Amino acid sequence: MSDDKDQLEEVLDKARQFVKTDSYPMSIGEIVNMYENGEIVLRPEYQ
């Protein structure tokens, strides 16, 4: 069981190096409007 855990941790460590993100510049007002219009659902349990 320990070998499986070690292998999984190794795979995850390698995968973390390849995380890609995109950015999209938005103003606070745009974000607030999206929230008020129901376009953004905040789920604090995931933050």
Side-chain angles (χ1 to χ4, degrees):
M1 177 90 106
S2 180
D3 288 335
D4 290 340
K5 182 180 176 186
D6 291 339
Q7 289 175 348
L8 179 58
E9 286 181 6
E10 184 178 329
V11 169
L12 290 173
D13 286 340
K14 288 180 182 177
R16 284 186 187 110
Q17 297 173 11
F18 299 104
V19 173
K20 297 190 189 296
T21 61
D22 291 326
S23 65
Y24 184 76
M26 297 179 79
S27 71
I28 299 288
E30 289 174 301
I31 295 171
V32 169
N33 285 335
M34 290 176 74
Y35 175 75
E36 289 174 344
N37 293 335
E39 298 174 48
I40 295 178
V41 177
L42 299 179
R43 297 178 188 239
E45 62 269 18
Y46 292 110
Q47 295 180 3

